[in-house]
Amino acid sequence: MYKILEKREIAMRNTWYKIYAPHVAKKVQPGQFVIVRAFQNGERIPLTPVMWDREEGWIVLIVFTRGKTTMRMALELSEGDSLLNVAGPLGNPAPMEKFGKVLAIGAYTGIVEVYPIAKAWQEIGNDVTTLHVTFEPMVILQDYLENAVSRHIVEPVKLDPRFDFKVNMKYVTKRLVEKVRELLESENWDLVFMVGPPGDQKAVFEVVREFGIPMRVDLHPIMVDGTGMCGACRVRVGGEVKFACVDGPEFDAYQVDWDELIHRVGFYSKMERIALERYLEELKAKGVI
């Protein structure tokens, strides 16, 4: 059992969990992740430790509420409660190399994964600029990033109440692509790194490819066990099947089969929507919402 030492909402649909998990805190490196199971018979979800203290034994997870499990966590868990399992650290650490001038991009909560990597790259001598593009009420970690890297750019996009969340996301993608193009045209870069939804990663990659700049990406395929045994997170990279959990999560953007990845991440969206709708019906029946 992994005690929740601190829980607070830090932005719209973003919740901060400080978890006592000494075995993770002792070994985790930037770029790695954990698999969390919060409830009995609940699903396993991959999450990124954003911060940690090796002596005190805690890690910080920032969780975006997007489906049944993450909504249950936001509504049903409190400080003092515990998560059932926190497995990890998993995946390969990000390479700690001197790349030079780096543009590290986080779309939506992708900035959560960018933070520890960008901070570590800056500390070993890189000149790191971070870019966060998201909806205005979902801006997070701004102070932390401003103190961690050479320059932190926030591009907030207003939510248009006339449209649903999915339609609004197109405005984020548009602003993201515009800003990346502006930065690539005005400055010289040695590496671009990005974390975010695969569709946005592909859109940014298409711009970066025009400039011929090396680009690395952390991928978010469907993931179950995080150990390479289930095969759910397979992605095609350089024509070969790779498993994001044990071969990644970071890959060369030029080698990723983006269309296959985008197709695969939508396999269970209908079932995920049904599970969330049923949970919302339960909450309504109980008078919670």
Side-chain angles (χ1 to χ4, degrees):
M1 302 288 275
Y2 299 86
K3 190 173 182 180
I4 300 172
L5 304 174
E6 181 184 339
K7 179 196 171 192
R8 54 193 169 93
E9 186 174 357
I10 57 171
M12 187 184 80
R13 296 173 70 169
N14 282 276
T15 306
W16 169 292
Y17 297 87
K18 184 177 177 181
I19 309 293
Y20 184 67
H23 71 289
V24 177
K26 184 178 180 180
K27 295 184 176 179
V28 66
Q29 301 291 332
Q32 293 187 294
F33 64 93
V34 295
I35 296 281
V36 168
R37 190 165 67 99
F39 304 102
Q40 201 68 251
N41 300 320
E43 69 174 327
R44 300 156 57 91
I45 56 173
L47 296 169
T48 299
V50 188
M51 303 165 195
W52 50 83
D53 188 299
R54 300 196 193 284
E55 292 186 1
E56 295 182 6
W58 53 260
I59 61 174
V60 168
L61 306 173
I62 296 176
V63 182
F64 176 59
T65 300
R66 57 165 294 181
K68 177 185 175 182
T69 297
T70 49
M71 183 172 286
R72 282 192 71 189
M73 290 177 67
L75 294 177
E76 299 180 23
L77 295 177
S78 304
E79 287 184 7
D81 291 341
S82 297
L83 304 177
L84 285 180
N85 309 117
V86 179
L90 300 167
N92 296 300
M96 287 299 119
E97 302 174 19
K98 286 194 176 181
F99 301 105
K101 187 169 179 176
V102 179
L103 175 60
I105 306 164
Y108 305 100
T109 45
I111 200 67
V112 164
E113 291 179 52
V114 167
Y115 171 72
I117 297 171
K119 180 173 182 289
W121 281 347
Q122 182 75 35
E123 288 172 350
I124 63 171
N126 290 291
D127 178 8
V128 181
T129 294
T130 48
L131 169 64
H132 188 199
V133 184
T134 188
F135 293 120
E136 200 166 24
M138 291 172 55
V139 172
I140 55 175
L141 296 176
Q142 186 168 357
D143 292 343
Y144 290 98
L145 281 157
E146 287 174 350
N147 290 323
V149 299
S150 297
R151 176 177 46 162
H152 179 53
I153 303 169
V154 180
E155 289 290 321
V157 177
K158 289 188 176 180
L159 272 166
D160 190 331
R162 297 174 298 170
F163 307 113
D164 64 21
F165 198 79
K166 196 170 182 178
V167 172
N168 270 285
M169 289 175 70
K170 295 179 180 177
Y171 296 108
V172 174
T173 304
K174 181 174 182 293
R175 186 64 194 125
L176 176 64
V177 169
E178 290 172 346
K179 187 62 184 179
V180 170
R181 181 176 292 281
E182 176 188 319
L183 288 167
L184 299 190
E185 286 178 342
S186 60
E187 301 176 44
N188 294 319
W189 303 91
D190 297 303
L191 177 71
V192 175
F193 171 68
M194 181 177 175
V195 186
D200 290 309
Q201 286 179 311
K202 182 186 178 188
V204 168
F205 167 64
E206 296 293 348
V207 177
V208 173
R209 183 165 57 178
E210 292 179 31
F211 293 81
I213 301 168
M215 181 174 178
R216 308 284 300 178
V217 285
D218 267 16
L219 298 185
H220 287 177
I222 295 167
M223 193 174 287
V224 181
D225 69 359
T227 65
M229 298 297 289
C230 72
C233 68
R234 62 184 180 274
V235 294
R236 196 173 300 276
V237 180
E240 298 180 1
V241 172
K242 301 286 186 180
F243 299 110
C245 62
V246 293
D247 296 317
E250 187 177 320
F251 294 98
D252 181 349
Y254 286 80
Q255 299 296 317
V256 174
D257 186 331
W258 289 106
D259 292 336
E260 183 180 80
L261 173 64
I262 291 168
H263 177 65
R264 281 183 54 80
V265 296
F267 270 11
Y268 301 104
S269 56
K270 182 178 179 181
M271 283 180 271
E272 290 170 348
R273 189 183 69 251
I274 291 172
L276 179 59
E277 288 172 352
R278 288 176 177 171
Y279 179 59
L280 291 172
E281 288 172 3
E282 290 176 18
L283 295 177
K284 287 179 183 176
K286 294 176 182 176
V288 177
I289 59 174

